[in-house]
Amino acid sequence: MALITDLNRWQKWALPTLVIVFTLAWIQHPDYEMSNFSTDLIVSAEQSSSVDKTPVFEERFASSDLDEFVHSPSITALPDGGLMSVWFAGSREGAADVDIRSARYDAETGQWGSEKVLVTREMTRQAVGKPIRKLGNPVIALAPDQRLWLFYVSVSIGGWAGSAINVMVSEDLGATWSEPHQLVTTPFVNISTLVRTTPVFHVDGSIGLPVYHEFLGKFPEYLYLDSNGHIEDKFRIADGTNSLQPTVVPLDEKRAIALLRYAGDEGHVLATMTEDAGQTWQEEWAVAPWNPNSSLSAVRTDEGSLLVAQNNLIDGRFRLSLDKATSNLSSWSVVAHLDASPDPLGNPIPRLEYEPIMKQKFISSSGTERKGLLTGFMGLLDYRVCRSDMCDFEYEYPSLIRASDGRYHLVYAWNNSFIKHVTFNTAWLESQP
Amino acid sequence: MIVLGLQAYISFALIVFALVPLGRLSMAGRAMVFLIVLALGIVPLPGGLSLAGYLRGFTDDLAITTLVWLAAAAIARLGYLPAWPLATRRQLWIGFALAALVLYPAALGIGMIDTYRWGFVPRGLIVAAGLLTLLLVLLRNGLGVSMLIAATAAFILDLKPSDNFWDYLLDPILAIYAIVALARDLIIRLRRRRSNGSAMVARN
């Protein structure tokens, strides 16, 4: 090793350059202070009861296209009382023709408008400058600064494990959108980070985006973005190979619960908790409901309990329930079965018996605007839910939010064919046996 | 045509140029090969994306350190610089292999410590990289010094889409290259030592 007095010419130049460059880098990247959870959306009991004293429970389809397989919806409330929902649609999950669709709910008319294509594979390819094989899992959320954020995954190589997260932002509540760009979230050529569940916001407008990995391990993380969508930090919620798709529910400024999809063969919903606004998480533990390796979604209620939309089943996704849990997750109760197969075990039903049941379910679910799609839908059963004249019911991938007026909005994939939207209020919750 | 960042085109040209056999081509011939490779990466294929874009789908954006190393290799192949001494390369193989061991297993989800996170809150990593650069200066390792100073300068200038300092310092291609080269070097040294030992025994 050279002594300082023995340095040659380039070394004498390198030393001050080194000091300048690394000092500048150090000054330019100060540590940040993590902001507390925003509690603005934790609606008080007085606020919600003043809006609705009579029980409200409404169902309708948000999507309007008959031809596509639909999956993985997400919903957000808009400032005018309306809603916007996004999902992915195509000939099948993972197909090259899958695109991201959106629709808007008009609070005055109480109807969903026609669905629109929001993002395509080609659009993403053009913007990120990489081959894109498929798109999936869009998530939409309105930030406190009234900017609308859209996150979705795209795959350049391999299957879903090769996913990267793309982000778009709208400054005008969804009328126009920025070009997508990719968040760089892993050191492995930026593959294997997915998004599925709704972000939460912090007091300073920063965004807490629950994400997960499914490359060699299956584990959730909490991505902390500043209010402009740049990654500030990343925190591991759990490690290992058995948990995905965290749904994060802030309880107060510092505490939040994350419920995790169980990614094994047979198991229960996993839960974990943070007491420092998402920086550290307790070791995950299994809670009472079963989870058949399916997505779930939760929000906080007036009295501080959790409302969870999930497939509380050992296997299959033939029943979607709304369950209530105390904030320590020790006690669970069923509020309602929102949609369910008439067969308690979810066994396939012969087509002759199935068709009248499905017709009735369609009529009660569709809302007036989409009722006319019944005949077309019944003609497509073989593509969606029936095999060899035996048919299934599938209700999956719920996304549950609470609007500032206190009403709850839930969207989920209804028999692979429609995105169903359910609205209810606290009075309805209290009226359930 | 889908226009990519300059880095994607340069990365494509440097990677392909490092792999193309050049035989006994003259310096001018080698420079011509480099220009052809660069042009190949820019020309759009049906659908608008160029070969550089397709390669980027597999490699993402290379680390700046990798780019500097590939550029140094290209300059050496063009004949403007002699090949870097083995000792220089060996120091870098060791450094980047160790960095890969620190980064990748933890980022894969082994345990609750995520070392990739250090690159988002990078002051500790900046100090570590600065000290490593100082060590390389004292070791007279000009290539390593150039790589780390260029990576850090690029981080200051925010030249990559990543917000993470690790992505300027290391990528899987560099990590795999360093580990494979180090393993190969170890095997060669062990074999040489063994054959030297046998020769000594035979002489005695």
Side-chain angles (χ1 to χ4, degrees), chain B residues 24-59:
Chain B
R24 289 181 180 175
L25 271 179
S26 63
M27 274 174 78
R30 289 170 182 230
M32 186 59 72
V33 170
F34 182 78
L35 290 176
I36 291 168
V37 166
L38 186 64
L40 269 179
I42 296 171
V43 174
L45 300 175
L49 201 58
S50 60
L51 281 175
Y54 282 100
L55 183 67
R56 189 167 167 261
F58 286 94
T59 63

Side-chain angles (χ1 to χ4, degrees), chain A residues 53-369:
Chain A
K53 288 196 170 142
T54 52
V56 171
F57 183 85
E58 297 165 357
E59 303 169 271
R60 52 182 87 78
F61 289 152
S63 62
S64 56
D65 192 342
L66 257 184
D67 300 330
E68 313 286 7
F69 165 92
V70 298
H71 198 52
S72 194
S74 171
I75 190 168
T76 193
L78 300 175
D80 64 356
L83 302 163
M84 189 164 177
S85 182
V86 291
W87 61 92
F88 73 80
S91 53
R92 60 177 169 77
E93 180 175 346
D97 63 2
V98 163
D99 47 36
I100 308 293
R101 306 282 175 92
S102 71
R104 280 170 177 278
Y105 174 79
D106 187 322
E108 284 187 17
T109 62
Q111 302 291 346
W112 284 91
S114 295
E115 69 184 62
K116 291 186 169 65
V117 174
L118 185 57
V119 186
T120 64
R121 199 166 64 97
E122 182 56 27
M123 188 194 296
T124 307
R125 198 171 76 102
Q126 294 267 354
V128 304
K130 284 182 187 177
I132 301 291
R133 294 186 59 220
K134 56 186 176 182
L135 306 180
N137 289 14
V139 170
I140 193 165
L142 182 71
D145 63 5
Q146 306 295 295
R147 281 195 287 181
L148 208 48
W149 290 90
L150 176 74
F151 304 93
Y152 65 96
V153 304
S154 66
V155 176
S156 291
I157 45 171
W160 288 123
S163 294
I165 299 175
N166 303 273
V167 58
M168 292 165 70
V169 63
S170 172
E171 309 277 350
D172 51 14
L173 299 172
T176 58
W177 290 86
S178 68
E179 278 200 334
H181 73 267
Q182 290 198 329
L183 296 175
V184 182
T185 52
T186 77
F188 317 104
V189 297
N190 196 28
I191 62 164
S192 182
T193 313
L194 296 91
V195 65
R196 155 64 197 143
T197 45
T198 309
V200 297
F201 291 94
H202 292 249
V203 172
D204 64 355
S206 50
I207 306 165
L209 183 65
V211 299
Y212 60 101
H213 296 258
E214 52 174 320
F215 179 40
L216 296 179
K218 288 183 178 174
F219 58 94
E221 290 187 324
Y222 189 73
L223 202 59
Y224 185 59
L225 313 171
D226 69 16
S227 58
N228 291 315
H230 296 291
I231 301 175
E232 289 264 31
D233 211 337
K234 187 160 77 86
F235 305 100
R236 193 152 289 173
I237 295 177
D239 59 353
T241 57
N242 65 353
S243 55
L244 300 169
Q245 298 176 346
T247 175
V248 176
V249 185
L251 301 176
D252 56 36
E253 290 179 336
K254 291 280 186 195
R255 294 185 313 133
I257 284 172
L259 296 177
L260 315 175
R261 166 178 172 170
Y262 176 71
D265 286 337
E266 193 174 287
H268 294 264
V269 172
L270 300 171
T272 176
M273 189 164 187
T274 177
E275 294 185 338
D276 51 15
Q279 296 179 71
T280 57
W281 297 80
Q282 294 171 7
E283 190 172 346
E284 72 274 22
W285 72 94
V287 291
W290 290 96
N291 184 264
N293 198 352
S294 72
S295 189
L296 71 165
S297 184
V299 294
R300 186 182 179 277
T301 65
D302 290 340
E303 73 268 23
S305 58
L306 260 67
L307 205 55
V308 186
Q310 59 183 338
N311 301 115
N312 183 0
L313 297 164
I314 296 172
D315 191 22
R317 297 171 182 183
F318 58 87
R319 188 173 67 220
L320 187 78
S321 61
L322 195 59
D323 299 318
K324 203 171 187 178
T326 52
S327 63
N328 61 7
L329 304 175
S330 60
S331 174
W332 290 74
S333 57
V334 178
V335 176
H337 289 150
L338 295 170
D339 251 321
S341 164
D343 186 296
L345 298 175
N347 292 317
I349 293 172
R351 191 176 183 125
L352 278 177
E353 286 174 45
Y354 182 87
E355 283 192 354
I357 300 168
M358 180 51 100
K359 273 184 190 167
Q360 197 187 351
K361 281 184 173 290
F362 183 100
I363 290 164
S364 64
S365 296
S366 65
T368 50
E369 281 290 294

Side-chain angles (χ1 to χ4, degrees), chain A residues 5-17:
Chain A
T5 51
D6 191 29
L7 295 179
N8 63 24
R9 202 167 160 196
W10 76 261
Q11 286 172 302
K12 284 177 181 159
W13 276 105
L15 276 177
T17 310

Side-chain angles (χ1 to χ4, degrees), chain A residues 2 6 11 15 21-22 26 28-29 31 125 128-131 157 184-185 188-189 219 231 233-234 236 239, chain B residues 4 47 53 56 58-60 104 106 108 111-112 114 116-117 121 123 130 133 137-138 140 152 155-156 163:
Chain A
D6 191 29
Q11 286 172 302
L15 276 177
V21 167
F22 283 91
W26 196 84
Q28 200 194 38
H29 293 88
D31 291 345
R125 198 171 76 102
V128 304
K130 284 182 187 177
I157 45 171
V184 182
T185 52
F188 317 104
V189 297
F219 58 94
I231 301 175
D233 211 337
K234 187 160 77 86
R236 193 152 289 173
D239 59 353
Chain B
L4 307 174
R56 189 167 167 261
F58 286 94
T59 63
D60 202 59
Y104 291 114
L108 275 168
M112 286 296 281
D114 179 11
Y116 186 58
R117 203 197 138 209
V121 192
R123 280 191 159 178
T133 313
V137 171
L138 298 176
R140 300 182 193 279
T152 310
F155 186 52
I156 293 169
D163 299 314

Side-chain angles (χ1 to χ4, degrees), chain A residues 49 53 55 302-303 324 335 425-433:
Chain A
S49 60
K53 288 196 170 142
D302 290 340
E303 73 268 23
K324 203 171 187 178
V335 176
N425 63 359
T426 302
W428 177 81
L429 284 174
E430 287 167 353
S431 71
Q432 297 307 296

